[in-house]
Amino acid sequence: MEQPILNGLIQYNTEGSYPWHMPGHKRRLNTIFPDMVENPFSIDVTEVGDLDELHDPKGIILKAEQRASEIYGSDKSYYLVNGATGGIMAAIAAVCEHGDTIIVSRNCHKSVYNAIRLLGLKAVYIKPEWNDELCMFGGIDPDMVKKAMKEHTHAKAVVIVSPTYEGVVSDIEKIAKLVHKEKLPLIVDEAHGAHFEFISNVNETISSTNYKNVPRPAIRLGADIVVESLHKTLPAMTQCAILHMKRGLINEKKLDEFVSVFQSTSPSYVFMATMEACIEKMDFERDGRFIVFKQTLMEYRKRFAELSHIHLVNADDFKKYSNSELDYSRLVFSVKDCGVEKDEGIVPMTGQMLAQMLEKEYGQTMEMAGGNYVVAIATIADSKEAFEALYLALDTIDKQLMDLPYEADTLLYETAPEKRMEIYDAKSRMNIRVPLDDAVGRVSSDFIYIYPPGIPVVAPGEIISKDIIRGIKRGLEFGRNFKGIESEAANKNYVYVVKEARNGWLPRRKKRI
């Protein structure tokens, strides 16, 4: 009997590669929750007896959600079994009607763009700060939020991402005050910050580092709706997430409704049980595991920072930007301006090359490989031995590198594409497939993005420029994982664009009755 998924998982586990990626339990749930049931099938049930209903909680689920609300400091918290994606879409649907205008940061996850499409919203994009030295996004400048609201007084909400995939945290408190001054709700995609609540409340001062303040959770800084992926940075199973809400600017009844709309009608009790266990355990471990974790992090961040060529991204890299902070549990290693000797001579070192070397030669699997950096997610499930193994691998690779300035992979995100039409408009029109080189000046009818993290390089309705094509080609050469591009052979890449007529756009597709 063929079982390709199960066999693939078993093979992956037996290969022995260490996971510097999500989920945050690092496959060590039994060491974190020794009293967890051995057989998850024994608690895989449905809404029977006194087991409550996720879509109308009045019993044990309500009690667990109320406990989560108490721990996180929200007015109400919702368990999410469809991941943060369902929570993001529910949050936007709860504050916008069809056709409304919404202000969003351009580095939002694809789920935000999907909500914009489904609700037929008009998107106003705020470009995050761009760090030229590192070739990655920084935080959101509060002044840009203020400017967008002033220019679009009819907007109904503001949506931003904090922290970014690379761990950069925006000034949520200042942004929230600006947004609330206009009586708008602030939605924060804090998918990668579920651990902030616990790590920021540890009774210990980190005086030995450059980090004066550990990032605090957005729900405690004034955000109205915050969505967090428990499984990304905490020991919870994949797909487990939570939504926090503050009353005042949010229609609670509508939020209740849309949280239900975007979640499965058959919620997993196994997921909910692990979410409850995770939150309770993390609250209990504020002054236990989290202190040990922070001490280990600081010890190894100091050692990582002493590498000669590989650069550990730190708070100082963003000090000239708008009061951005850094989640120091997010380990970002840059190889910008580094070279390595190959058979063909000295070649530029890329993030993909570093990730491949770490995995194939040292059994260290990264969360993501960017154009010139890799991202590793550290959690309380990582032991000191794990950090030591990563350090030894990086130190060995570092000794093979040399200085080699080269044109960095910056074109993909440095400049936001020109928007010609809204997402829902572009998706509703006829499209054609064209060679990538022939797409210059055409309107994309699809999302083109690198996964992970899932941030669109081009969204439907945006113009595909020469620079974007050049950036895509460079990314393809470096082996980046593009979605929205069909590759049939070497240098045979195709994209979908909105079909045009001689006298303008073709009409929208007719709806089937």
Side-chain angles (χ1 to χ4, degrees), residues 136-155:
M136 67 178 62
F137 282 127
I140 300 295
D141 185 347
D143 289 338
M144 294 298 291
V145 177
K146 184 177 181 179
K147 181 175 182 288
M149 292 189 297
K150 184 177 181 180
E151 294 176 353
H152 302 273
T153 56
H154 51 294

Side-chain angles (χ1 to χ4, degrees), residues 30 129 141 175 183 203 285 306 332 392 424 450 475 478:
N30 60 324
E129 295 171 314
D141 185 347
I175 293 173
K183 294 182 170 51
N203 296 322
E285 293 287 4
E306 293 171 350
V332 182
L392 291 175
Y424 66 88
I450 297 171
F478 286 162

Side-chain angles (χ1 to χ4, degrees), residues 483-495:
K483 305 297 181 182
I485 295 177
E486 294 184 357
S487 300
E488 294 186 350
N491 299 318
K492 292 288 186 180
N493 301 302
Y494 298 85
V495 294

Side-chain angles (χ1 to χ4, degrees), residues 50 52-63 65-66:
D50 296 325
D52 207 1
E53 300 177 30
L54 179 62
H55 292 272
D56 184 24
K58 296 176 181 175
I60 59 175
I61 296 175
L62 176 61
K63 186 176 180 181
E65 289 182 331
Q66 288 174 336

Side-chain angles (χ1 to χ4, degrees), residues 124-140:
V124 175
Y125 297 127
I126 302 173
K127 186 177 180 298
E129 295 171 314
W130 180 258
N131 189 313
D132 286 316
E133 289 78 19
L134 296 172
C135 302
M136 67 178 62
F137 282 127
I140 300 295

Side-chain angles (χ1 to χ4, degrees), residues 83 199 223 241 253 285 290-291 312 352 378 391 419 421 512:
I199 204 167
K253 189 174 184 300
E285 293 287 4
F290 275 104
I291 284 182
L312 174 67
Q352 286 76 21
Y391 171 75
K419 188 175 80 169
M421 60 179 66
R512 295 179 180 177

